[in-house]
């Protein structure tokens, strides 16, 4: 249910963007999954949705694989874990965790 909510909020924001962004879901035969791919042409934003108040480096496993060794290895990728915590957290190499609440409020970085 949380994934559907986040997708819905992102879809509502698409018409307000300056560029043409497309949302996708991706899963391979090995069940490696990316909840949301935001395709902006030369740049992909890969989003994993977690219904947890905490996040750790293991939550970025598929995002990092997708960006470095997976289908998007030739494109610039940013990996985001959207979670139920309160803080914006950086995990290096274009990866971060953002609270789900950042979809409707500002974040103090």
């Amino acid at each position: 249910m949380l994934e559907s909510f986040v997708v819905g909020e992102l879809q509502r924001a698409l018409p307000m963007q300056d560029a043409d962004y497309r949302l996708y879901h991706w899963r391979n035969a090995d069940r490696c999954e990316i909840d949301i791919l935001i395709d902006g042409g030369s740049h992909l934003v890969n989003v994993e949705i977690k219904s947890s108040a905490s996040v750790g480096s293991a939550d970025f496993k598929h995002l990092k694989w997708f960006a470095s060794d997976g289908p998007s290895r030739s494109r610039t990728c940013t990996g985001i874990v959207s979670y139920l915590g309160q803080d914006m957290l950086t995990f290096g190499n274009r990866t971060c965790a953002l609270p789900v609440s950042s979809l409707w409020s500002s974040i103090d970085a």
Side-chain angles (χ1 to χ4, degrees):
M1 197 155 85
L2 182 61
E3 286 181 24
S4 294
F5 172 77
V6 171
V7 168
E9 291 299 301
L10 291 172
Q11 284 177 324
R12 286 178 359 139
L14 289 179
M16 296 177 271
Q17 305 308 308
D18 293 335
D20 182 29
Y21 293 101
R22 308 286 174 145
L23 302 182
Y24 300 96
H25 173 83
W26 183 86
R27 183 181 319 177
N28 69 4
D30 296 329
R31 303 191 53 83
C32 182
E33 178 181 35
I34 305 295
D35 293 332
I36 305 168
L37 291 177
I38 304 171
D39 188 346
S42 63
H43 188 193
L44 282 177
V45 178
N46 310 323
V47 182
E48 182 69 26
I49 312 298
K50 296 291 180 188
S51 59
S52 172
S54 62
V55 65
S57 59
D59 295 316
F60 291 88
K61 176 181 161 185
H62 293 159
L63 298 176
K64 289 182 177 183
W65 172 83
F66 191 84
S68 63
D69 299 321
S72 68
R73 63 186 163 271
S74 63
R75 297 173 74 182
T76 302
C77 289
T78 299
I80 297 173
V81 171
S82 182
Y83 77 118
L84 296 176
Q86 299 298 313
D87 299 316
M88 182 180 122
L89 306 169
T90 59
F91 284 81
N93 199 20
R94 303 184 68 89
T95 59
C96 66
L98 297 175
V100 170
S101 63
S102 67
L103 292 168
W104 62 83
S105 63
S106 63
I107 298 175
D108 296 326

